């Protein structure tokens, strides 16, 4: 049985997972960047060139791209929020792929109908 608007199983799974993520999970549309930094404390090893490993989130704030430093205590949170965004993005891509398949099938049908019309016109000649 065919229903208009019925999704394949894999598309349904992707859609419901995406809806769940967007509905109740925090996320940040950015990417994590490891960055070595200087802490500024006098006499610290970093002043001699031994930098502290650090983490930043690269994201857009309004029109501007920014690097936001992540304190160690928030690293796990930052990683989770960015990875939620990445998963949501992958799900969007998967759903889009299914929609593209559907679109291309629709295009085939339109083209098929076009050929029929051409055929009829041919008969009339
Ligand atoms: Zn330091």
């Amino acid at each position: 049985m065919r229903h208009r608007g019925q999704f394949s199983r894999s598309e349904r799974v992707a859609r419901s997972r995406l809806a769940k993520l967007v509905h109740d999970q925090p996320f940040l549309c950015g990417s994590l960047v490891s960055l070595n930094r200087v802490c500024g404390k006098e006499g610290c090893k970093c002043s001699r060139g031994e930098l502290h490993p650090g983490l930043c989130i690269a994201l857009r704030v309004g029109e501007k791209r920014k690097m936001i430093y992540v304190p160690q205590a928030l690293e796990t949170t930052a990683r989770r929020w960015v990875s939620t965004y990445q998963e949501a993005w992958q799900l969007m891509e998967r759903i889009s792929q299914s929609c593209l398949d559907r679109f291309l099938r629709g295009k085939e049908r339109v083209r098929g109908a076009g050929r029929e019309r051409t055929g009829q016109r041919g008969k009339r000649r």
Side-chain angles (χ1 to χ4, degrees):
M1 237 207 318
R2 266 180 41 201
H3 287 289
R4 197 174 264 275
Q6 196 187 29
F7 306 132
S8 72
R9 201 189 120 68
S10 96
E11 187 177 347
R12 267 202 319 274
V13 168
R15 280 178 183 270
S16 84
R17 174 77 184 141
L18 177 65
K20 192 172 161 39
L21 284 183
V22 171
H23 186 257
D24 53 30
Q25 297 297 316
F27 58 85
L28 282 169
C29 303
S31 54
L32 295 169
V33 181
S34 297
L35 215 68
N36 295 326
R37 56 190 280 277
V38 175
C39 72
K41 280 186 205 127
E42 218 175 304
C44 182
K45 60 177 181 175
C46 66
S47 63
R48 297 188 299 274
E50 260 188 80
L51 303 182
H52 303 282
L55 190 67
C56 286
I57 303 175
L59 45 57
R60 235 184 2 255
V61 179
E63 301 268 285
K64 290 191 179 119
R65 291 197 62 79
K66 291 206 170 175
M67 290 281 267
I68 294 174
Y69 175 68
V70 179
Q72 215 161 23
L74 290 177
E75 271 194 23
T76 310
T77 302
R79 287 184 193 283
R80 200 172 54 233
W81 291 11
V82 169
S83 94
T84 298
Y85 160 67
Q86 284 163 347
E87 188 186 349
W89 178 254
Q90 281 162 11
L91 291 166
M92 291 273 284
E93 290 274 3
R94 206 155 94 201
I95 297 164
S96 171
Q97 189 61 58
S98 298
C99 292
L100 177 62
D101 293 346
R102 219 146 49 228
F103 184 80
L104 294 177
R105 280 199 301 275
K107 212 174 127 178
E108 275 306 305
R109 271 197 302 276
V110 169
R111 233 191 287 167
R115 265 200 299 275
E116 261 169 50
R117 272 201 300 279
T118 312
Q120 279 163 5
R121 225 177 283 143
K123 268 182 222 158
R124 251 182 268 138
R125 246 190 296 146

